[in-house]
Amino acid sequence: MEMLSMKQEMPQQLRMETLLIMWVELLLHLSLWMVPNNILKIRKVYDAFLAEFPLCYGYWKKYADHEARIGSMDKVVEVYERAVQGVTYSVDIWLLYCSFAIETYGDPETIRRLFERGLAYVGTDYLSFPLWDKYIEYEYMHQEWSRLAAIYTRILENPNQQLDRYFNSFKELAASRPLSELRAVEEAAALASDMVSEADGQVNEGVVHSDAAEQTPKPISAGSTDAEELEKYVSIREELYKKAKEFNSKILGFETAIRRPYFHARPLNIAELENWHNYLDFIESEGDLNKVVKLYERCLIACASYPEYWIRYVLCMEASGSMDLADNALARATQVFVKRQPEIHLFAARFKEQNGDIPGARAAYQLVHNEISPGFLEAVIKHANMERRLGKLEDAFSLYEQAIAIEKGKEHSQTLPMMYAQYSRFSYLVSGNAEKAREILIGALDQVQLSKPFLEAIIYFETILPPPKQIGYLESSVDKFIAPNSDGSAADREDVSSIFLEFLSLFGDAQSIKNAEDRHAKLFLPRRPMSDSRKRHAEDFLSSDKMKLARSYSSDPSPGQSLMSAYPSAQNQWPAGYGAQPQTWPSTTQAQTWTPGYSQQAAYGAYGSYGSNYATPQVPTSVPQSAGYGAYPTTYPVQTFPQQSYAVPTAGTMLTPAQQPAAGVPQTTYYGTY
């Protein structure tokens, strides 16, 4: 199943890679040949490209450089602001933005705010060391030793690829500077507060020294030497380091297996995709919502082109009660990153219906109807099933009729035969009107090109319809298809003839069976080698019709089930959308009533794998949902790149980051202006 899924995704991945190459060539031509000062054309091309591929962080830098060359610093800031909204959890884009700020602005507090804003998102990323290094370099340049020590302390709290290097650098810093220079302002304030509390306690207990008024306040560890204080200061950080190293040992295998942490249109290999799933499983089991969200966002940079990860993210956030995050992820998936893949829109329709958003579900289905051909049949089936569940049966029938009219207008439509077959099936199962169901199929015979999947479908469908069986229209269609001058392949023609023979053995009379057997022998037996013919004859002799029927009924008493089980390759001939449907058709005795099992399975059959793998994800419980994630928007426009307005940058306002959230959860609006 996994390999099949990869094969289905491959064409889409290759199309995306081709599109990316074309864009890159256009941008290269733009840089080399267009007039450098024609900034309007440059903006138009970059805006269009980055709306399609916002995770290509290097092109945000190129765009900003174009703006900088004509001296428009406020536009440079605007580009970077759009960049960090488009690829918020990328270490690289924050590094580029902070480097630009260092080169451009002289106000240290403005630059520090930008560093802190970026680190709120990516500071715990296993590969965040380039941004931490830049921050350390900046503070070292200003010889802000206490700030530098505080940065090292924060780094040592989480696993990092360069964790050992940072701990050694911290020890070197502690050995080279006086302890008074290393203590942070906050730590000094805490010590002063503790000393006041201790002095108050001594007075209240009546232990008042005669020279108390003359004594200089001493730290809690009064009497200890500077060396002991320094040792204690370092040991506290060492404990943080050891704890981070312990967790690092648990995730090292996952991190080592990540070969491509950045976005590219080229497909990832199966091993790396599976590693992301396993890594997510582990982090979810840890129960820390903040870590879960951060890892999903990291994953969705490298795996942005794969709907399965977006679907998993949405379901995980829904299970954790974080519906704002679920909605935001679904919006990004359907409107930017996998917007051309029907799978994500069909999932979105299901998700919205289950959460009471019926207009949103209809819009998602309609999008596939109108714009995404590979999912057209499946979207019609699922949309009609939803309308049936809502009690709008006429609307459901209308959907099939409209879809059939659309497909009739296409030359050599491969979907039209399956659309007729599904419409007939749907009509019978929901209304019990066998005559209408037959009329649909008989009417289809004049409209479609006969094929093995279609003939299998109508033969099979006739088996579940109530008697009397109408064999005439089937026989004429089969006879036309298996004729030597027909368009079908020899293998398909022989298979259809065999399927029809078994159908007749169940429902035909002696004369019709004889005629079909004679025709089959005349057309196909002379072509088979003698050894094969003898083998087939021996198998037929040993397996009477009664024995074959008994075997078919052993798993399900449905005659239709036995027919299809005799030809296991039949379902593989259907288009992807139909093939994903569960083929559990009810027996004749069930036809008059709607079975709840069908409505649940047939409506969402294609998503059965999601239910088994991701329907009940590990829900983080130790960290409650933070208001910091509530800043996501509810809308996300399709294909148009955000037109944002930013204030002219000043030392105090241009790079002002969002307030630092509680418990390390960022509150900056993510995709806030899309």
Side-chain angles (χ1 to χ4, degrees), residues 407-635:
E407 290 302 311
K408 280 183 178 179
K410 299 178 182 178
E411 188 174 359
H412 306 302
S413 170
Q414 300 297 313
T415 304
L416 183 59
M418 298 304 102
M419 191 69 73
Y420 272 115
Q422 282 291 347
Y423 184 25
S424 176
R425 169 195 180 193
F426 178 82
S427 177
Y428 175 62
L429 292 177
V430 301
S431 67
N433 190 334
E435 291 308 312
K436 180 178 180 180
R438 281 196 182 98
E439 286 176 7
I440 293 171
L441 287 178
I442 294 172
L445 294 174
D446 296 330
Q447 304 292 332
V448 305
Q449 182 177 1
L450 295 178
S451 63
K452 175 184 172 182
F454 180 66
L455 288 171
E456 278 185 300
I458 63 176
I459 292 170
Y460 173 45
F461 192 44
E462 187 63 41
T463 67
I464 70 171
L465 291 176
K469 301 298 181 183
Q470 296 190 14
I471 298 175
Y473 77 98
L474 294 178
E475 188 165 21
S476 62
S477 299
V478 170
D479 188 48
K480 181 179 179 181
F481 180 76
I482 68 176
N485 59 347
S486 73
D487 294 333
S489 68
D492 284 353
R493 291 189 290 111
E494 184 173 0
D495 284 346
V496 169
S497 181
S498 297
I499 293 170
F500 188 57
L501 274 174
E502 183 166 348
F503 170 80
L504 290 176
S505 72
L506 291 170
F507 303 109
D509 55 28
Q511 187 60 45
S512 65
I513 294 173
K514 181 181 185 304
N515 292 341
E517 286 179 341
D518 291 348
R519 181 179 57 196
H520 185 86
K522 178 181 178 181
L523 291 175
F524 304 112
L525 292 184
R527 299 175 179 271
R528 185 177 295 108
M530 182 60 66
S531 59
D532 193 9
S533 177
R534 288 173 179 170
K535 181 179 178 182
R536 175 70 66 88
H537 179 74
E539 290 176 349
D540 290 345
F541 178 80
L542 292 174
S543 301
S544 65
D545 288 346
K546 185 175 181 181
M547 292 172 63
K548 287 190 286 184
L549 189 60
R551 284 202 308 270
S552 300
Y553 272 71
S554 62
S555 59
D556 192 312
S558 166
Q561 182 84 7
S562 71
L563 183 64
M564 294 302 284
S565 65
Y567 303 97
S569 64
Q571 293 187 33
N572 296 334
Q573 306 299 323
W574 293 78
Y578 178 78
Q581 301 286 330
Q583 301 300 315
T584 310
W585 291 26
S587 63
T588 305
T589 58
Q590 297 173 322
Q592 302 301 324
T593 59
W594 184 268
T595 56
Y598 170 77
S599 65
Q600 182 67 24
Q601 294 179 2
Y604 301 130
Y607 295 100
S609 59
Y610 304 146
S612 61
N613 293 329
Y614 309 127
T616 56
Q618 297 289 336
V619 180
T621 58
S622 64
V623 178
Q625 182 180 355
S626 169
Y629 292 118
Y632 293 122
T634 57
T635 59

Side-chain angles (χ1 to χ4, degrees), residues 314-333:
V314 171
L315 293 176
C316 181
M317 293 301 100
E318 180 191 31
S320 70
S322 304
M323 286 303 298
D324 54 340
L325 286 175
D327 291 338
N328 178 265
L330 191 59
R332 285 184 281 153

Side-chain angles (χ1 to χ4, degrees), residues 12 16 19 23 47-56 60 82 85-87 263 300-301 303-307 310 327-341 344-345 348 367 371-372 633 635-642 670-671 673-674:
Q12 172 65 25
M16 182 180 293
L19 180 62
W23 269 110
D47 285 347
F49 169 73
L50 291 168
E52 196 72 28
F53 297 102
L55 297 178
C56 293
W60 288 106
R82 289 166 58 187
Q85 291 180 41
V87 57
F263 169 79
L300 287 169
I301 291 176
C303 305
S305 304
Y306 294 87
W310 291 101
D327 291 338
N328 178 265
L330 191 59
R332 285 184 281 153
T334 56
Q335 297 174 22
V336 179
F337 296 107
V338 283
K339 63 186 178 184
R340 293 185 179 87
Q341 299 195 38
I344 193 65
H345 297 285
L367 180 66
E371 299 183 18
I372 308 178
T635 59
Y636 199 102
V638 179
Q639 296 190 7
T640 58
F641 202 79
Y670 186 22
Y671 287 87
T673 54
Y674 272 179

